[in-house]
Amino acid sequence: MSSPHLVVLSRSIPPDTGGYQRQITLLAPYLRRRFGSITWIGGLRERPRSALGGIEGVDRMIRIRSDHLPARVRGAASPAVIVCGLALALWARLRRRDVHVLLLSPGMPGAPLVVRALVRLGVAVVARYPTSGDLTERRGRSVARARGVRTIAPSPLQTRERTEFRVTMVPNAVASSTQQAPRHEVEPIGRRRRFVYVGRLIRRKRADLLVDAWRAVLSDLPEWELVLVGGGGVEPDSIETELRAQVDTGSMCRVVLTGNVRDPSELLRSSDVFVFPSVKEGQPNSVLEALAEGLAVIADPTRMAEWFDPVPPLLPWSGQPEDLAQAMRQAAGRNDLGEIGADGRAFVERHHRPQQTAQLIAAALGVA
């Protein structure tokens, strides 16, 4: 057979924003060194702001468009993604090509049946761990239990959480920042200092806890502002609409809402402290990206120990909701944020390089 072909299947595909979209975009050039070609199939749910382009390392992007549909039914693209992936793999096998499938969204409708069909065709399948608590977890677990499927996850917690199938740890990767100067030696005079959060504006991620903490500290920190990067969309626990109303009416001071952004790196570089109140994650890419940009990070240390091994350097916080405001006050008063940020950047360069993660994914797929 010819050199192996990799098919990536996902619920959403760039230019849609999200953690695994950025992960595969980052890893594709390194995966391409091990595969003869890469095809990425996914649903395009967000209205593109510019012309659709390709991604370095991906030979073909197949976007199943549902961005023109009402937001609540855009998931209709998922069955089409699964069927398209099966058809492509079948065609490749008929041509005697070696095919490998990386399933990023194992909870998509039809995934359990299609995965079993792929395995019978002799296709190597690796599925991303189905996160506990997701609405699609049951389908995801069915995929993970299928004979011949290998399951990967980025965090120590996820590798221990299930006993009915094996989960191999493959840490998420992050691009190293090119910014080498200490952050607080290059800040422009007169700029407000910034706390920043990157993630969905939903209660499951405790974005409301961060907003409450900001209310408690804003009068004590007049030279600081809070930048919230992300949106709540149509999720039932979204706080985006009420936040925008509060900002527009002036009842919420010194808060910047950016909405979804494809690449948050510039916003991270212009900030001082990253605040991440969530307690339910796999391994949060936004934390890795903040560390790579040299930001000091406030996050629950107990949860970070479940998501990372080893644990990155953090600013002090007990993890208790009532203590977050005090942690933000303490962070604002520190004069060693640059040193802590430098330690974080060194941490990700040691433990979360793209080359390492791509190698582990390829090994899970049976490709040296």
Side-chain angles (χ1 to χ4, degrees), residues 55-229:
I55 290 174
E56 182 184 358
V58 178
D59 300 270
R60 181 167 49 170
M61 302 278 289
I62 300 178
R63 296 178 170 98
I64 310 298
R65 300 196 63 163
S66 61
D67 54 295
H68 58 288
L69 298 174
R72 294 186 180 277
V73 295
R74 289 176 187 172
S78 293
V81 170
I82 289 294
V83 171
C84 187
L86 176 61
L88 182 64
L90 177 59
W91 174 246
R93 294 298 292 164
L94 290 173
R95 297 172 63 195
R96 301 184 62 80
R97 294 193 65 185
D98 187 12
V99 184
H100 303 252
V101 169
L102 177 60
L103 180 59
L104 298 180
S105 308
M108 288 189 289
L113 291 174
V114 167
V115 160
R116 287 170 172 79
L118 289 171
V119 171
R120 291 192 185 98
L121 289 171
V123 176
V125 178
V126 166
R128 190 175 68 119
Y129 175 85
T131 303
S132 295
D134 281 358
L135 297 178
T136 58
E137 180 191 357
R138 185 175 179 180
R139 282 196 296 264
R141 282 165 43 204
S142 179
V143 167
R145 288 195 299 264
R147 180 175 298 179
V149 174
R150 296 180 179 179
T151 305
I152 61 174
S155 72
L157 174 65
Q158 290 176 318
T159 62
R160 302 190 304 262
E161 201 169 37
R162 293 294 173 192
T163 58
E164 70 266 37
F165 52 83
R166 180 184 176 188
V167 183
T168 301
M169 192 167 79
V170 177
N172 286 343
V174 66
S176 297
S177 172
T178 58
Q179 179 178 329
Q180 299 298 327
R183 301 183 61 81
H184 298 286
E185 293 181 10
V186 296
E187 297 294 354
I189 296 174
R191 178 184 75 76
R192 283 192 189 277
R193 301 184 72 184
R194 292 176 176 171
F195 295 106
V196 62
Y197 163 86
V198 179
R200 287 179 291 167
L201 298 180
I202 57 178
R203 288 185 171 84
R204 275 170 292 159
K205 289 189 177 283
R206 301 208 299 182
D208 54 329
L209 172 62
L210 173 55
V211 171
D212 290 342
W214 175 246
R215 291 183 198 275
V217 304
L218 64 87
S219 61
D220 300 328
L221 305 175
E223 72 279 16
W224 286 75
E225 65 184 4
L226 175 63
V227 179
L228 302 173
V229 183

Side-chain angles (χ1 to χ4, degrees), residues 342-357:
D343 290 343
R345 184 187 293 118
F347 171 87
V348 296
E349 288 175 352
R350 285 195 303 270
H351 302 292
H352 295 273
R353 290 187 295 122
Q355 299 93 322
Q356 294 172 327
T357 297

Side-chain angles (χ1 to χ4, degrees), residues 183 290-296 313 336-346:
R183 301 183 61 81
L291 291 167
E293 294 297 345
L295 268 75
D336 61 346
L337 293 178
E339 296 174 14
I340 296 172
D343 290 343
R345 184 187 293 118

Side-chain angles (χ1 to χ4, degrees), residues 203-274:
R203 288 185 171 84
R204 275 170 292 159
K205 289 189 177 283
R206 301 208 299 182
D208 54 329
L209 172 62
L210 173 55
V211 171
D212 290 342
W214 175 246
R215 291 183 198 275
V217 304
L218 64 87
S219 61
D220 300 328
L221 305 175
E223 72 279 16
W224 286 75
E225 65 184 4
L226 175 63
V227 179
L228 302 173
V229 183
V234 297
E235 298 192 54
D237 59 345
S238 171
I239 64 171
E240 181 181 11
T241 300
E242 61 189 83
L243 272 180
R244 290 195 179 279
Q246 293 168 9
V247 170
D248 291 344
T249 60
S251 61
M252 178 73 73
C253 300
R254 302 197 309 276
V255 173
V256 179
L257 297 170
T258 70
N260 290 321
V261 298
R262 186 173 181 182
D263 182 359
S265 57
E266 288 297 327
L267 289 164
L268 291 171
R269 290 188 195 114
S270 65
S271 301
D272 301 272
V273 175
F274 185 85

